[in-house]
Amino acid sequence: MKTLLIGDLAPGTQQYLEEKTDLMKVTNEKFLAGQYPDVQAVVLRTFTTLGREELARLPKLKYVVSCSVGVNNIDLEALREKNIELIHCPGTNANSVAEHTLHLMMALLRQDPQRPFAELKSKTVGIIGLGYIGKVVARKLLGFSCKVIAFDVLEIPQEVLDELHVEMKPFDTVVKEADILTVHVPLNKHTQHLINEKVFSAMKEGSFFVNTSRAEVIDEEGLMKHQEKFRGIALDVYSEGIKFTNTHVILTEHVAAQGEDSFKNQCKEPIQLFLEKVNAESSTASQSMSSF
Ligand SMILES: NC(=O)c1ccc[n+]([C@@H]2O[C@H](COP(=O)([O-])OP(=O)(O)OC[C@H]3O[C@@H](n4cnc5c(N)ncnc54)[C@H](O)[C@@H]3O)[C@@H](O)[C@H]2O)c1
């Protein structure tokens, strides 16, 4: 199958595609300038936008293989309309993002490793979005004897909450009660600027704020306006040119999912699913040839 790989995958995972497909590789920048009349599958990560304009240059596309968990870079409605199948593996990078979140929390609490520091014990951690990542964050916090409260639009089974020692509360309560607020929702039209100026204004004076979801989930102007109230802010995702006067800010460059093992799974699992489909297609094709 003629397959287009856009950008780089985790080390060692590109070879699966090379062995089993007719593979062409382009950079993200080159992709935007090309036409791909024969390509039937694209393999991409969150850094490639695949909207109607890009899809128009891929007239034979049958599969989109996303080696990222967030799929806000892909126009899902356009895929449905064009009958293009999306293959991705939710949850494959949850451990990596959760470990990075914990790392950011600990780094915020210990601003200067040589000086007295705040402890997680007895703090209230608020989790917005208790999906794959939010749950792993809660699980990792179990050992720290802190109180964990959360809000999610979906109902989470009570046995899961009991196991994770999480108490679900209304959004406004989580925001007001959290000493550390961490955000793990997908970006969509409902969550764009979910954490807006009103939310930052309602948060505790001297609290900590962590975002490893998507930049657009946060109203960055609102964060700027209220930045001085925070004892620490850590962002893995943010807009270019963002500037802080608060000196206790940690910025990482969208690396939360790049823990070595998770990054590999996040690339390998959707590619394996895709290759199973390619195999099934070619065996169906050869069966119908032999019965001809
Ligand atoms: N920084 C990174 O490198 C990185 C890596 C992976 C994922 N992410 C981001 O993290 C997001 C979450 O990942 P996940 O695997 O946990 O996804 P998930 O779908 O398992 O969990 C998201 C949770 O958010 C909840 N939710 C949706 N809208 C909400 C709202 N308005 N208020 C509260 N909760 C809401 C959902 O019900 C779900 O439980 C991804 O969509 C992606 O954007 C970032």
Side-chain angles (χ1 to χ4, degrees):
M1 181 171 294
K2 194 118 190 140
T3 301
L4 180 70
L5 168 61
I6 309 168
D8 292 318
L9 298 177
T13 49
Q14 184 177 319
Q15 77 192 53
Y16 299 108
L17 291 169
E18 282 162 357
E19 282 163 14
K20 305 275 186 202
T21 68
D22 177 3
L23 189 68
M24 176 164 72
K25 187 178 176 188
V26 289
T27 61
N28 211 7
E29 295 70 35
K30 279 229 171 91
F31 166 62
L32 296 173
Q35 293 288 338
Y36 309 95
D38 301 326
V39 164
Q40 292 174 287
V42 292
V43 181
L44 47 68
R45 287 176 53 215
T46 190
F47 309 105
T48 301
T49 300
L50 197 63
R52 287 179 191 275
E53 203 183 307
E54 292 79 15
L55 288 169
R57 287 186 269 122
L58 294 151
K60 293 224 177 106
L61 195 63
K62 288 168 75 174
Y63 297 107
V64 174
V65 185
S66 171
C67 294
S68 293
V69 164
V71 286
N72 55 289
N73 54 316
I74 301 167
D75 187 334
L76 301 178
E77 204 179 302
L79 292 200
R80 271 192 293 274
E81 276 171 27
K82 293 173 189 287
N83 220 5
I84 299 168
E85 188 175 344
L86 173 69
I87 300 172
H88 77 133
C89 292
T92 41
N93 58 16
N95 183 69
S96 173
V97 181
E99 279 195 22
H100 192 67
T101 303
L102 263 287
H103 160 74
L104 292 174
M105 280 183 194
M106 297 304 280
L108 288 181
L109 294 166
R110 298 169 165 254
Q111 283 150 8
D112 178 346
Q114 304 302 336
R115 300 191 54 164
F117 52 89
E119 289 164 276
L120 252 176
K121 186 178 177 196
S122 306
K123 294 270 182 307
T124 298
V125 178
I127 301 178
I128 304 293
L130 201 66
Y132 281 105
I133 297 170
K135 287 197 195 84
V136 183
V137 169
R139 188 176 302 283
K140 291 186 188 302
L141 286 171
L142 277 172
F144 284 97
S145 309
C146 45
K147 179 177 176 188
V148 182
I149 56 176
F151 170 77
D152 198 292
V153 285
L154 293 181
E155 198 171 328
I156 313 288
Q158 191 55 47
E159 62 265 29
V160 173
L161 299 176
D162 290 345
E163 192 206 330
L164 296 175
H165 293 212
V166 174
E167 192 183 341
M168 299 308 282
K169 297 209 173 199
F171 180 84
D172 291 348
T173 312
V174 174
V175 163
K176 275 191 200 132
E177 291 185 359
D179 297 306
I180 304 169
L181 190 73
T182 181
V183 185
H184 301 288
V185 297
L187 173 63
N188 56 40
K189 62 180 179 203
H190 305 291
T191 59
Q192 184 162 24
H193 287 191
L194 174 71
I195 312 296
N196 55 28
E197 208 232 299
K198 218 171 113 208
V199 174
F200 290 121
S201 154
M203 283 179 70
K204 271 188 193 171
E205 202 66 40
S207 58
F208 298 89
F209 177 70
V210 180
N211 182 27
T212 59
S213 64
R214 287 286 180 262
E216 297 88 338
V217 170
I218 307 302
D219 170 8
E220 291 180 339
E221 290 294 318
L223 177 58
M224 295 296 104
K225 189 167 165 195
H226 291 281
Q227 60 178 291
E228 293 301 340
K229 80 185 293 180
F230 292 103
R231 196 164 161 195
I233 299 167
L235 308 176
D236 183 53
V237 280
Y238 48 89
S239 307
E240 222 174 285
I242 196 165
K243 284 208 168 65
F244 289 93
T245 49
N246 185 326
T247 50
H248 296 133
V249 174
I250 300 171
L251 301 178
T252 54
E253 291 183 16
H254 205 154
V255 297
Q258 293 195 35
E260 289 168 355
D261 301 333
S262 298
F263 186 31
K264 198 164 185 179
N265 288 341
Q266 179 191 316
C267 295
K268 195 171 150 190
E269 290 193 20
I271 287 172
Q272 275 176 341
L273 274 181
F274 164 59
L275 294 178
E276 280 166 23
K277 285 178 192 275
V278 173
N279 258 344
E281 268 195 31
S282 57
S283 60
T284 314
S286 59
Q287 268 170 22
S288 51
M289 285 291 280
S290 60
S291 64
F292 183 65

